[in-house]
C-alpha cells in the first residue's frame, strides 16, 4: 500500500530524475561516486550494505527536511521562503525515495531468505 502512495506521488519518476542528474554530475566530475545508489552484487552482504546506505541517506535528507521547514517558517522574505520550500520538497522526496527503496530491498532480502530455506 505504501509503495502505491509513493508511486501516486511520483516518487519513482523523481528517483529516476535524481539518478540521471547524479550520473551526469559524476560524468562531469570524471569520478563515479554511486556506491550508495546501486546494488553492487546480489550477495547478502551487498544487499545489506545498500540497505544501510539507504538508511544513512534518509537520515541526511531528514535533516534537510527539517532545515527547509524551519527556514520556511522563520524567513521574512518570500523569495527565501520559496527557496526553502524547494529545499524542503526535494529532501522530503529524497526521504520517500529511500523509504521506497528500503521496501524493495527488504523484499529482496526476504526473497533470498525464503530461497535459501527452500534449498536446504
Amino acid at each position: 500500500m505504501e509503495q502505491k502512495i509513493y508511486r501516486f506521488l511520483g516518487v519513482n519518476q523523481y528517483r529516476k530524475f535524481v539518478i540521471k542528474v547524479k550520473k551526469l554530475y559524476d560524468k562531469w566530475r570524471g569520478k563515479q561516486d554511486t556506491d550508495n545508489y546501486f546494488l553492487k552484487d546480489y550477495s547478502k552482504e551487498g544487499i545489506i550494505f545498500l540497505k544501510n546506505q539507504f538508511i544513512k541517506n534518509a537520515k541526511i535528507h531528514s535533516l534537510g527536511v527539517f532545515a527547509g521547514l524551519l527556514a520556511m517558517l522563520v524567513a521574512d522574505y518570500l523569495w527565501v521562503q520559496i527557496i526553502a520550500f524547494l529545499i524542503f520538497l526535494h529532501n522530503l522526496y529524497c526521504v520517500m525515495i529511500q523509504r521506497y527503496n528500503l521496501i524493495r530491498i527488504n523484499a529482496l532480502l526476504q526473497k533470498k531468505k525464503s530461497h535459501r530455506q527452500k534449498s536446504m
Side-chain angles (χ1 to χ4, degrees):
M1 178 66 178
E2 188 177 352
Q3 282 182 305
K4 288 181 182 180
I5 294 169
Y6 291 147
R7 281 190 213 113
F8 176 76
L9 293 172
V11 169
N12 201 29
Q13 288 78 12
Y14 196 71
R15 179 182 62 86
K16 290 176 184 177
F17 168 74
V18 168
I19 288 172
K20 279 184 181 180
V21 169
K22 177 66 174 146
K23 284 182 177 180
L24 285 172
Y25 177 68
D26 286 350
K27 186 177 179 180
W28 174 76
R29 260 185 354 162
K31 180 176 147 182
Q32 193 173 19
D33 180 31
T34 54
D35 64 339
N36 62 346
Y37 290 95
F38 303 107
L39 190 58
K40 291 179 184 176
D41 58 44
Y42 282 89
S43 69
K44 184 178 179 183
E45 294 78 24
I47 295 169
I48 291 172
F49 173 80
L50 187 61
K51 179 180 177 176
N52 290 333
Q53 292 298 102
F54 289 156
I55 293 167
K56 182 179 95 176
N57 290 342
K59 289 177 183 178
I60 292 167
H61 285 292
S62 294
L63 292 173
V65 168
F66 177 73
L69 184 61
L70 185 63
M72 277 190 313
L73 296 174
V74 299
D76 292 332
Y77 299 102
L78 180 62
W79 67 271
V80 174
Q81 290 175 334
I82 291 170
I83 292 170
F85 175 72
L86 292 175
I87 291 169
F88 164 79
L89 198 58
H90 166 72
N91 283 288
L92 180 63
Y93 263 78
C94 287
V95 169
M96 289 190 290
I97 288 169
Q98 301 312 317
R99 179 64 188 146
Y100 180 82
N101 287 335
L102 278 170
I103 292 168
R104 294 171 63 214
I105 207 107
N106 283 334
L108 183 59
L109 281 170
Q110 188 63 35
K111 186 177 177 181
K112 283 188 92 49
K113 182 180 177 183
S114 65
H115 180 68
R116 246 186 236 129
Q117 288 174 350
K118 286 181 185 177
S119 64
M120 289 182 156

